[in-house]
Amino acid sequence: MARKGENIFKRKDGRWEARYIHHYENGKAKYRYVYGSTYREVKAKRTAEQSMSGNPCRVPPGRPEAFPVLAKAWLDDIRDTVKESTYTRYYRVVEKYLLPFLEETALEKIDQKYLNGITSALLARGGTGGSALAPKTVTDILCVLKSILNYGKENHFCCPDIGRLKYPQGKSRPSRTLTEESRRKLERCLLTSDDDVSLGILFTLFTGVRIGELCGLRWSDIDFGNAAVSICRTVERIADLSPDTPGKTKVILSGPKTESSFRVIPLPDFLLNYLKGRRRSGDCYLLTGSRTYTEPHQYYVRYRKYLERNAIGSYPFHTLRHTFATRCIETGFDTKSLSEILGHSSIHTTLSIYVHPSMQQKRAQMEKLAPDITQSESLYKRSGEPGLKGKSGTL
């Protein structure tokens, strides 16, 4: 897996590979590659190669001090080391948000004070039509900018030391989950329906898969013998960067969001029996029953209409994932197991974003603090008050 911003990654054959810009020809970067058995080894080799090169300054001719030159070099460098969807997202951030502010800016001017000004401008008018951007969006933009500047320092561009970036702080809003009434009503509707929309909603409500992963599921991914499903692909719509195509976007079928998103999820018996009654050919997609998949937005529209038709309420599709995670914690799941089922890279993500204890669960935990009999009898005898109910009855 690539180390972000370093162009060092582990190959499929088990070796580590590092690449660096050796020189430029006709304005295009020419790369050299080094290999090693460990991350540290290959990084040391690259540093040695760079120091021995006869051309230590690897910036292109023309205007090497301009930010667009560095941004383009960074985008060219990472293109083959990240997913296509990730690359298009980075490209969009550079084109839509960074170049409008930095197109004519010399690199040596991009210091901490300058970055604070960019942050304020993005928060105030960085969106479409000069609208304000959310702090989370601005933080994502600054993370891309930081990666570009770090890459510039590694490759001898004239980048100043920006120190520690100050990211904007926004108010954290708790993610929504289905109310108990809505969840029970939805489950009753789903278990008495036999359409593909119901199948997808029920599957998500009891596995916590993402909508793109759901759209990419084939019947062959379900192991009925071992009562499990393998998550190994996702469907998503991304920006189409090809100048030869008329459309601005395209739909791709690729691997899941992260390496930890490749996972196997156990299926409860009732869901397995539900799926057996609707089983199709292995090469057919779960949501369509055919060899053609549906894209997330199309399925999301059908999902919203389903909720409206059954008077469930208005909930984003991701609410099903939040609800699944919260219910798992309430029923006693250990956090590590839940984190792996959700496809998270760390338990912290599971706890901080997806787990929302209910008031009933909090109250049940508080009741565990009731004093034992010996302590209570001593306490209330001294106070002269009647006993209270503790763990073993009236005290």
Side-chain angles (χ1 to χ4, degrees):
M1 187 175 180
R3 299 286 179 110
K4 190 173 182 180
E6 289 189 313
N7 268 314
I8 301 177
F9 61 96
K10 195 170 187 179
R11 296 159 50 95
K12 291 182 179 179
D13 61 9
R15 293 184 299 165
W16 285 84
E17 176 182 320
R19 71 174 184 169
Y20 63 95
I21 299 175
H22 183 262
H23 64 281
Y24 283 82
E25 289 182 11
N26 300 322
K28 291 186 177 180
K30 298 297 180 181
Y31 296 94
R32 289 287 176 88
Y33 304 84
V34 293
Y35 305 92
S37 58
T38 65
Y39 166 79
R40 289 186 177 182
E41 179 186 345
V42 80
K43 186 172 184 179
K45 281 186 177 180
R46 184 178 68 175
T47 302
E49 289 279 343
Q50 288 175 319
S51 64
M52 290 188 296
S53 172
N55 180 22
C57 185
R58 300 172 183 84
V59 296
R63 294 186 59 199
E65 77 284 355
F67 176 80
V69 175
L70 173 58
K72 183 180 185 305
W74 178 75
L75 286 170
D76 289 344
D77 205 44
I78 66 167
R79 186 159 199 161
D80 297 331
T81 64
V82 297
K83 289 178 60 178
E84 183 181 5
S85 57
T86 303
Y87 177 82
T88 57
R89 186 167 66 252
Y90 290 161
Y91 182 90
R92 181 174 177 270
V93 168
V94 170
E95 291 290 325
K96 185 174 182 179
Y97 298 111
L98 295 179
L99 289 186
F101 286 99
L102 298 166
E103 192 162 15
E104 301 296 329
T105 305
L107 289 175
E108 59 265 23
K109 291 185 178 179
I110 307 177
D111 55 14
Q112 187 70 60
K113 184 177 180 181
Y114 198 92
L115 290 175
N116 289 340
I118 292 176
T119 300
S120 298
L122 287 170
L123 288 169
R125 58 181 186 281
T128 304
S131 59
L133 288 178
K136 174 63 169 63
T137 303
V138 176
T139 296
D140 292 342
I141 295 170
L142 292 176
C143 286
V144 173
L145 178 56
K146 183 178 180 180
S147 293
I148 294 173
L149 295 177
N150 286 340
Y151 169 82
K153 289 182 67 177
E154 283 189 358
N155 289 277
H156 305 284
F157 282 79
C158 301
C159 298
D161 186 2
I162 59 173
R164 190 171 181 177
L165 270 179
K166 295 180 180 178
Y167 298 112
Q169 299 296 316
K171 293 181 179 179
S172 59
R173 293 180 297 178
S175 302
R176 292 182 66 189
T177 60
L178 290 167
T179 64
E180 188 68 13
E181 180 183 356
S182 296
R183 181 183 63 79
R184 291 181 180 277
K185 184 176 181 180
L186 178 59
E187 288 177 0
R188 287 194 295 271
C189 293
L190 294 173
L191 292 171
T192 55
S193 302
D194 58 0
D195 57 281
D196 293 334
V197 180
S198 301
L199 171 61
I201 297 173
L202 187 68
F203 192 90
T204 303
L205 194 58
F206 286 91
T207 61
V209 296
R210 303 175 179 97
I211 189 170
E213 296 168 343
L214 177 68
C215 291
L217 274 178
R218 296 192 183 108
W219 281 97
S220 58
D221 297 323
I222 300 174
D223 184 346
F224 286 93
N226 292 311
V229 59
S230 297
I231 307 300
C232 52
R233 74 186 68 84
T234 187
V235 180
E236 55 186 327
R237 180 173 287 277
I238 65 172
D240 191 348
L241 303 180
S242 174
D244 302 324
T245 54
K248 293 183 179 180
T249 62
K250 63 180 180 180
V251 179
I252 63 169
L253 193 67
S254 63
K257 185 177 180 180
T258 61
E259 188 174 330
S260 56
S261 294
F262 287 89
R263 61 200 188 278
V264 177
I265 303 174
L267 297 175
D269 289 341
F270 94 89
L271 182 58
L272 195 69
N273 292 329
Y274 180 91
L275 293 169
K276 285 179 180 178
R278 292 156 180 78
R279 191 172 182 176
R280 307 285 177 86
S281 174
D283 57 354
C284 292
Y285 285 90
L286 188 74
L287 293 183
T288 63
S290 69
R291 293 178 178 86
T292 304
Y293 56 76
T294 184
E295 67 169 291
H297 179 70
Q298 291 175 343
Y299 183 73
Y300 179 70
V301 171
R302 297 169 66 194
Y303 158 78
R304 293 296 294 266
K305 289 181 179 179
Y306 184 92
L307 295 189
E308 183 179 349
R309 186 167 62 250
N310 290 282
I312 303 297
S314 179
Y315 294 96
F317 190 85
H318 213 66
T319 299
L320 302 179
R321 181 169 163 88
H322 289 303
T323 303
F324 167 78
T326 302
R327 290 192 66 211
C328 285
I329 290 294
E330 290 176 349
T331 54
F333 262 62
D334 69 276
T335 311
K336 178 61 176 175
S337 296
L338 177 58
S339 182
E340 292 183 0
I341 288 174
L342 292 172
H344 291 158
S345 57
S346 71
I347 295 177
H348 173 74
T349 304
T350 309
L351 290 173
S352 63
I353 300 178
Y354 289 91
V355 179
H356 317 283
S358 65
M359 180 57 72
Q360 291 88 340
Q361 185 184 8
K362 294 175 185 176
R363 189 177 300 281
Q365 298 300 319
M366 293 293 285
E367 288 297 335
K368 294 179 180 179
L369 301 178
D372 59 39
I373 293 177
T374 304
Q375 293 172 330
S376 299
E377 285 180 337
S378 174
L379 174 65
Y380 292 112
K381 282 179 180 178
R382 288 198 303 269
S383 65
E385 296 179 6
L388 299 178
K389 275 195 174 181
K391 293 181 181 178
S392 303
T394 304
L395 306 178

